[in-house]
Each structure stands twice: as structure tokens, then as C-alpha cells.
Amino acid sequence: MKEIKTSGGDCCATPGLMSVEQAIDNILSPAVAVEETESVDILDALNRILAEDLSSTIDVPGYDNSAMDGYAVRSEDCQQSGVKLPVSQRIPAGQVGEALQSGTAARIFTGAPVPEGADAVVMQEMCEAATVADGEQVTINTVVKAGSNVRRAGEDIKEGSVVLKAGKRLRAQELGLLASVGLADFKVKRKLKVATFFTGDEIVLPGQPLKAGQIYNSNRYTLRGLMQSMNCEIIDLGIVPDTLDDTVKVLKEAAACADLVVTSGGVSVGEEDYVRIALEELGELSMWRIAMKPGKPVAFGKIDDTLFMGLPGNPVSVFVTFLLFARALILKLQGVDDCIAKRVSVTADFDWPKVKRQEYLRVRLVQKDKQAVAQIYPHQGSGVLSSASWAEGLVEVSVDREIKKGDTVDYLSFEGLL
Ligand code: AMP
Ligand code: MG
């Protein structure tokens, strides 16, 4: 077994343990994004990773258009409030009007092309329309500035410019953006194949009765949910008994069919922990004791070209180590350009004593005096899954830092992570 040393020696307060930051570096360094791409229809592209830079072939907006329902005018005609202008035409969205003659106004609606000659739109709330002997007339009850309420051609996107770069995960707003330039299909990375299995003689699937000494396999659903939300193709190899033969067999099968293998349990140093030994038989193992809580033991390695990440068995440890390590690794393998989790500052609404391992506390944000304040779940045990369900994110507490109510702390939101 290879124990990778931290570059700056042991982590902080606990000798022999690696820091979270170093572990993330070690995990990301051998990870190479999948190369294969496929074309997708924009309707099926949510959460896929763009595999090419996409440029626009049009200006957006494509023409100067009205930002308001109102009257298109020449601003030079309206340099004082109360000017009366004959209404020469009516331009709804989807129609092109005629050039606006000096001294006239055009009734116009939001999104309609501003007629040639007009350089401003006055919103209808500032106008009074009246029918006069020779037609419609409008009184403009304001001084009009050139350019007001006109959305300029190309002000959002210029023809020829790159709209999105390869490596971008496509959220709803990216799909809207691509649609706005008329793109209906494009290249994305193929889905990452992640094989997973769950070790333990004690675990059974929900829906089955529990015998004495058994527990339900909650990790399967936590991990599957996390990987589904990251749009992975999951190969679920089920529950694996605590024997070396079974573990070697399933690990071999997993490595042969996936880009990455993510497992739960069996990575500690107990006699019933076989994942480590199986990995050493089949490939290379780097086993780390990470200076963090929850989730100290994390195994990382490789079988041929397939990366392996063995997460701990405790349900909260699985959740937290997935978010910190597996998430970043999956993003990098998927080809996402930005895989580092963002911390934001919030105010602690709790005290927490100095810690020897970096802690990840399950917290929820509440609004107090216009500030986001983190409240802590009272029971922070690594088996207390209720804490993860109650929480909205994690407060990261570094080694030797004591937290007092009112202190600023680093917060990782679950929403931001997934
Ligand atoms: P291990 O890492 O295998 O020693 O497991 C650590 C703890 O996590 C033990 O209490 C296990 O019973 C529990 N555990 C392991 N796998 C699962 C699972 N799939 N679902 C829920 N708890 C688990
Ligand atoms: Mg076990």
C-alpha cells in the first residue's frame, strides 16, 4: 500500500494525515477528461458538458427593437414635455414598419423593430393618445433622450462571437442562450460511466425485512442520487459480501466497464475491509487518511485506465467525501472547466471548539437582520444521516480554529456543489 505524503509534510495538527486540499490535488492530477463526443438535440442537452466552442451566426437582438409598449419617436422632436405628434403607423412585434417621418410618432409594442429614423421609444405611461380630426395624435409628456427604451442590435451577442466555450455544463440558462442564436444541436462529451458497489455483510436493500444485526443500504441511494444529479451513467453492481474473492471479482468487472469506480465501505483497516486489498491485487492503490471529519479513510487508485475511489461506509462520511472528492473528480473526467467548489462567507450562529481534523458541519442558513446566518444541526455524528437531510450545506472548520457565534465562516452550499 502506498501512502502518498503531503508535499508540505504531514497535515497540520495530526501527524500522518493528509490535508483535504492535498487530497483534492492528488485526485485531480491523474484525471483526464473523456475524449469521445456525441451530438445532442438541444431538447436533450440539459446538464451535458459542451465539447466544442459555439459561435453565433447572428446578432442578438437581430435588430433595434422596442423595450416597451409605447411610441417610437425622433428624440429631436421631443426636447420639451407636452409635444403633440400625429401617429403615423402601428408596429406590433413581428412586423416591420415604414421609415418614421420627422414630426411624427409610431405606435409600437415590446419587441417590435424600431422604424428607421426613430431613435427612442417613449413608454405609453408617459403618453396621452387622442383621436383628432385627421387621425390619431399622441402627447409626449416627457423630454426624450436618444436611445431610450431601444434594445440595440447585437447588444447581447455579436455575430461571430463565441457564445459558450467547450467545458461548460449546460444549465437551463445556457440552453436558452444557445436557442437564442438558433442552435438546435451541438457536440457534448459522452456521459461518464461510473460503476458502483456497496460492501458489507450487514447491508440489505430497503423493501426487504431486516434481520438482527442488519442495516439498510442507504449509501446506494445517496451515491446514486448524487451521481444521477451529475448526469453520470451509473453501472450499479449491487451489494458485495465482505470476502476478498467477491470483492476482487466485482472490482474487476467494475473496472472493465467504467471510466471510474466509486464504492462505499470496506476501506478502513479492519479485518473485514477488503476493498483496499482487492485494489492492490488488481491495480495501484493510494490509501489516505485524510485530516477531515467526517470521512477520514478514502482510497484512491487505478485499475488499468479506470480510476477508483473508495469512500468510507458511514452514511454522512459517504455524502461529505463524495461532495469534496468524487464530485471534483467526476467533473474533471466529464471535461468540466471549473471543478473547484466555491466557498462563501456566512456568519456562524453557533460555537464550535478547536478541532484537530478539518470539520464539515451540517448547517442550514437562515436570514437574520439581512445576513445569512448558519445554524448547526445538533447531532453531527458521521452516522447521523438526518443531519445531511436537514442541512443546506457545510461549514468548513479548519484545524485549530475555534468558532464563536458571530464569526465569519466558510460555507459550501449543497446547491452550489451539485
Ligand atoms: P466500513 O467502512 O465498511 O467499516 O463501514 C463503516 C460503517 O458504515 C459501518 O457502521 C457500516 O455498517 C456502515 N455502512 C457501510 N456501508 C453502508 C451502506 N451501504 N449503507 C449504510 N451504512 C453503511
Ligand atoms: Mg464494512
Side-chain angles (χ1 to χ4, degrees):
M1 176 169 60
K2 187 170 59 164
E3 181 110 46
I4 294 186
K5 289 281 175 233
T6 59
S7 54
D10 292 322
C11 168
C12 343
T14 318
L17 299 194
M18 180 185 290
S19 72
V20 169
E21 293 68 28
Q22 182 70 55
I24 291 173
D25 277 355
N26 289 344
I27 286 165
L28 293 183
S29 70
V32 181
V34 291
E35 272 179 12
E36 298 94 320
T37 63
E38 58 198 34
S39 283
V40 281
D41 187 280
I42 188 167
L43 281 173
D44 302 318
L46 185 65
N47 283 328
R48 300 301 299 266
I49 314 303
L50 197 60
E52 55 181 340
D53 290 354
L54 292 177
S55 305
S56 177
T57 54
I58 55 169
D59 275 343
V60 179
Y63 43 86
D64 291 356
N65 70 88
S66 177
M68 292 281 173
D69 291 337
Y71 291 85
V73 296
R74 291 171 175 258
S75 59
E76 65 196 22
D77 291 340
C78 307
Q79 288 312 297
Q80 67 210 37
S81 186
V83 169
K84 293 183 193 307
L85 301 171
V87 180
S88 58
Q89 54 182 320
R90 188 175 182 278
I91 315 172
Q95 287 187 23
V96 179
E98 282 160 16
L100 188 79
Q101 299 308 311
S102 181
T104 69
R107 179 72 169 123
I108 196 165
F109 298 90
T110 306
V114 172
E116 209 186 306
D119 65 353
V121 171
V122 189
M123 66 162 129
Q124 62 191 28
E125 290 80 352
M126 309 298 282
C127 303
E128 274 170 71
T131 307
V132 291
D134 48 356
E136 292 289 311
Q137 188 187 67
V138 63
T139 309
I140 308 291
N141 291 322
T142 184
V143 174
V144 178
K145 271 206 276 181
S148 55
N149 298 319
V150 175
R151 301 190 284 217
R152 289 276 167 217
E155 80 177 18
D156 181 6
I157 299 159
K158 289 254 178 299
E159 183 188 334
S161 66
V162 173
V163 186
L164 290 176
K165 290 199 162 192
K168 182 83 188 162
R169 187 164 70 91
L170 301 173
R171 304 167 298 170
Q173 55 269 50
E174 279 78 33
L175 298 182
L177 184 66
L178 295 177
S180 78
V181 300
L183 288 165
D185 52 63
F186 33 80
K187 278 194 178 141
V188 295
K189 292 280 189 182
R190 76 154 163 81
K191 283 194 180 183
L192 191 72
K193 291 181 201 153
V194 187
T196 185
F197 61 86
F198 315 92
T199 71
D201 286 339
E202 74 280 29
I203 55 175
V204 295
L205 291 182
Q208 291 175 5
L210 279 185
K211 296 193 190 116
Q214 293 185 323
I215 58 167
Y216 284 119
N217 179 3
S218 60
N219 291 349
R220 178 182 193 221
Y221 303 88
T222 308
L223 282 178
R224 284 185 62 109
L226 288 163
M227 295 191 287
Q228 270 165 359
S229 72
M230 296 188 74
N231 222 4
C232 298
E233 187 181 318
I234 300 168
I235 302 145
D236 187 340
L237 299 171
I239 294 172
V240 178
D242 286 322
T243 74
L244 182 57
D245 280 355
D246 286 307
T247 314
V248 168
K249 196 166 150 247
V250 71
L251 193 53
K252 207 172 187 173
E253 186 186 343
C257 65
D259 304 299
L260 170 68
V261 181
V262 176
T263 65
S264 96
V267 291
S268 304
V269 286
E271 280 162 37
E272 298 293 327
D273 295 321
Y274 292 104
V275 172
R276 234 168 7 90
I277 310 170
L279 187 61
E280 279 178 313
E281 262 190 32
L282 296 171
E284 286 167 35
L285 166 76
S286 310
M287 175 68 203
W288 304 321
R289 290 164 63 233
I290 298 174
M292 67 181 289
K293 193 176 163 190
K296 188 162 62 175
V298 171
F300 185 65
K302 214 175 162 179
I303 302 165
D304 300 322
D305 286 335
T306 302
L307 290 175
F308 171 86
M309 180 169 284
L311 303 178
N314 276 312
V316 181
S317 307
V318 162
F319 182 61
V320 171
T321 51
F322 183 94
L323 291 178
L324 286 171
F325 306 123
R327 171 193 170 274
L329 178 60
I330 288 172
L331 289 176
K332 185 151 182 215
L333 293 173
Q334 286 175 327
V336 176
D337 51 5
D338 176 16
C339 46
I340 298 302
K342 292 184 184 77
R343 277 94 177 140
V344 295
S345 294
V346 299
T347 304
D349 199 29
F350 57 88
D351 295 330
W352 200 250
K354 271 192 191 180
V355 290
K356 292 285 170 222
R357 286 186 275 151
Q358 187 152 300
E359 283 204 29
Y360 291 87
L361 305 173
R362 272 78 68 214
V363 303
R364 189 185 264 190
L365 292 188
V366 293
Q367 206 72 19
K368 260 194 188 173
D369 305 329
K370 294 197 173 163
Q371 267 198 333
V373 165
Q375 292 186 340
I376 191 166
Y377 190 75
H379 197 159
Q380 293 282 323
S382 62
V384 182
L385 211 40
S386 319
S387 68
S389 171
W390 178 89
E392 291 166 356
L394 303 167
V395 159
E396 187 177 59
V397 188
S398 20
V399 173
D400 282 340
R401 159 129 198 237
E402 185 182 356
I403 291 175
K404 289 276 175 217
K405 202 170 171 161
D407 286 355
T408 300
V409 288
D410 285 342
Y411 173 76
L412 289 154
S413 82
F414 295 151
E415 229 175 39
L417 288 166
L418 291 169

